[in-house]
Amino acid sequence: MLSINDAVARIKENIPAHTIEKIRVNDSLGRYLAEDITAPEASPRYTSSAMDGFGLRFDAGLGEGTAFEIIGESAAGSSFAGEVLPGQAVRINTGAMIPKGVDTVVRMENTREENGKVILSKLPKKGQDIRHAGEEFAAGKVILSQKTKLSATHLALLNAVGIEEIAVYKPCTVSILVTGSELVSSGESIAPDQIRDSNMIMLAAAITEAGGVVVETRRVPDNEKQTRKAIDTSKGGIVICTGGISVGRHDHVRASAKESGFDEIFWRIKQKPGKPLFFARRGGQLLFGLPGNPVSAFMCFIHYIKPLIGAVHGLPFGWPVVSAKAVAPIQNNGKRPTMVRVCLDWQDAEGYSITGAEKQGSHMLTSVTGSNGYIILEPEEEIKAGESTTVYRYDSGRDSISLSDFR
């Protein structure tokens, strides 16, 4: 059996090449940038007012009660075309362009109007309430870096500077083949010797969360011919099978994959849960055979497949990790390295702490719904109370994870 590290190394050796495509910014939410984005123009584009008020030319002799002739208005989208001379002022709105000759904006609440003039009731500071062109960034500055996962605010920024199309990494496509004659869908009538399939919905959601695209889902009975047909005709760049991967008479995934032209890269890992993990390749198509137990399937996905999907999108192959102190001892009494599910908690004064999840069975979904990360312990290894250890998080959790937080 392979070690966990050796299995990761073999997966990394088989990461598919990146594919880049051009798409509209409006369609890019959740995608990963394939290049740096430089600003085609400065921001702000022009010098404008930060407040509603009056634009005027500052003079050292100004004082409370000084009056200025109002000669016009500069509104957002309709700027004042003339020049403002000493002793003159223009009404100005927030966001409106600063006219020629204006170097200060006096807020509306600090003035009063009489007979076509504006009178200062509070002395302004020279240059106040003016947003200068380019003060946020100049044209040519990198405003978004390659490998950024695009969010709502990123899309707003791209639109604000007039970018309509961008280069992104093409997301990997994934097929899900759930094997097991005992499985039924939620909502179907269920016999005493059947169970409801939770792997399909779990993996489809996890793939989507990771940025992949599920292109097909199939439930396959424990039948050799049907298993081979499902694998042989699978469409995804990554094929994920659950169940049928051990050594029983009804386990057909490994043999069917080989018969369908997949070359085995490894089978079985020295770990718990997820020992019978299978990995194979057929040209540019990768196949994973996960155990049928939902917790084993989830842990194998999180540790091996999720970082692979990220790598296809240009990210480093790795996991979001934090250091945390154990509240109580956590021990692996087994004979294999174990992915122990833990509850990760944040204390403002202490930082992260962990406790072992109460349930650890590979068939118990509450062991993952009741935890938010895991640690890997060698056989007989113990983390003592107060001792720090590395915690692999299921996701980025309460705060953001930068690329430097991956390992």
Side-chain angles (χ1 to χ4, degrees):
M1 288 187 288
L2 282 181
S3 68
I4 293 174
N5 288 340
D6 286 341
V8 167
R10 294 198 186 184
I11 293 172
K12 291 171 73 172
E13 290 170 357
N14 288 276
I15 296 174
H18 302 145
T19 302
I20 296 173
E21 61 180 347
K22 288 272 192 178
I23 64 171
R24 295 171 63 246
V25 168
N26 290 358
D27 300 325
S28 67
L29 181 66
R31 301 289 292 275
Y32 292 84
L33 282 175
E35 60 186 5
D36 290 343
I37 301 294
T38 58
E41 59 186 33
S43 177
R45 293 181 61 243
Y46 54 85
T47 299
S48 65
S49 176
M51 301 293 291
D52 292 335
F54 291 87
L56 51 83
R57 185 177 296 191
F58 188 88
D59 184 272
L62 295 181
E64 294 183 14
T66 303
F68 294 81
E69 179 188 2
I70 301 172
I71 62 170
E73 181 179 17
S74 186
S78 180
S79 57
F80 180 77
E83 179 178 1
V84 178
L85 301 176
Q88 296 178 333
V90 292
R91 291 187 179 87
I92 197 161
N93 306 128
T94 302
M97 181 179 287
I98 295 294
K100 183 179 180 181
V102 170
D103 60 10
T104 300
V105 172
V106 183
R107 300 181 184 186
M108 185 71 69
E109 59 267 29
N110 295 327
T111 66
R112 68 180 191 276
E113 288 187 51
E114 291 181 5
N115 302 321
K117 294 185 178 181
V118 57
I119 301 171
L120 304 183
S121 57
K122 183 178 179 180
L123 186 65
K125 294 180 180 179
K126 184 177 182 179
Q128 76 173 34
D129 293 325
I130 290 182
R131 299 168 178 165
H132 294 279
E135 69 178 21
E136 183 179 9
F137 53 78
K141 180 179 175 60
V142 174
I143 53 174
L144 290 176
S145 299
Q146 182 186 21
K147 302 181 182 179
T148 296
K149 184 177 183 180
L150 294 169
S151 68
T153 54
H154 296 134
L155 270 56
L157 176 60
L158 291 166
N159 272 271
V161 296
I163 295 175
E164 298 181 9
E165 191 176 71
I166 52 175
V168 295
Y169 292 106
K170 194 170 184 178
C172 65
T173 56
V174 186
S175 296
I176 303 174
L177 310 179
V178 175
T179 72
S181 297
E182 77 281 14
L183 299 175
V184 297
S185 297
S186 179
E188 293 181 346
S189 60
I190 186 167
D193 59 351
Q194 292 181 311
I195 60 174
R196 295 182 182 87
D197 170 27
S198 57
N199 279 335
M200 186 175 291
I201 190 171
M202 175 182 71
L203 289 172
I207 290 161
T208 301
E209 285 179 342
V213 176
V214 178
V215 293
E216 63 177 334
T217 58
R218 299 190 205 177
R219 187 172 295 115
V220 185
D222 292 322
N223 176 280
E224 183 177 0
K225 184 177 180 180
Q226 293 187 56
T227 301
R228 179 175 176 182
K229 181 179 179 181
I231 291 174
D232 195 45
T233 59
S234 56
K235 303 173 184 177
I238 298 175
V239 182
I240 301 177
C241 303
T242 65
I245 200 60
S246 194
V247 294
R249 291 179 61 244
H250 303 289
D251 292 324
H252 304 298
V253 168
R254 183 173 174 235
S256 296
K258 290 181 177 181
E259 291 169 3
S260 296
F262 281 90
D263 296 320
E264 181 176 311
I265 298 173
F266 64 74
W267 176 51
R268 300 201 302 175
I269 298 177
K270 200 172 186 179
Q271 71 175 43
K272 182 180 180 181
K275 174 183 173 182
L277 180 64
F278 175 67
F279 180 48
R281 180 168 190 156
R282 180 174 66 182
Q285 191 177 36
L286 303 179
L287 182 144
F288 288 89
L290 310 184
N293 279 325
V295 175
S296 298
F298 178 76
M299 297 306 297
C300 286
F301 177 86
I302 286 291
H303 200 74
Y304 300 106
I305 303 177
K306 183 178 180 180
L308 172 64
I309 292 174
V312 172
H313 299 155
L315 298 177
F317 187 107
W319 310 266
V321 296
V322 294
S323 179
K325 291 182 179 181
V327 173
I330 305 174
Q331 187 171 6
N332 176 15
N333 295 317
K335 297 180 179 180
R336 282 176 279 157
T338 300
M339 296 176 177
V340 180
R341 276 76 73 201
V342 297
C343 301
L344 184 66
D345 188 34
W346 173 264
Q347 302 291 337
D348 289 337
E350 301 292 333
Y352 284 108
S353 64
I354 53 168
T355 54
E358 181 181 355
K359 307 288 187 181
Q360 292 290 334
S362 63
H363 61 296
M364 299 179 179
L365 273 170
T366 52
S367 77
V368 287
T369 60
S371 61
N372 49 13
Y374 60 101
I375 61 176
I376 299 177
L377 295 183
E378 295 297 320
E380 305 302 325
E381 183 181 2
E382 180 183 20
I383 303 297
K384 295 179 173 59
E387 186 177 350
S388 293
T389 189
T390 297
V391 181
Y392 298 80
R393 295 162 65 154
Y394 296 152
D395 55 30
S396 57
R398 67 177 287 279
D399 47 15
S400 61
I401 291 290
S402 69
L403 296 184
S404 62
D405 292 315
F406 279 72
R407 59 171 297 175

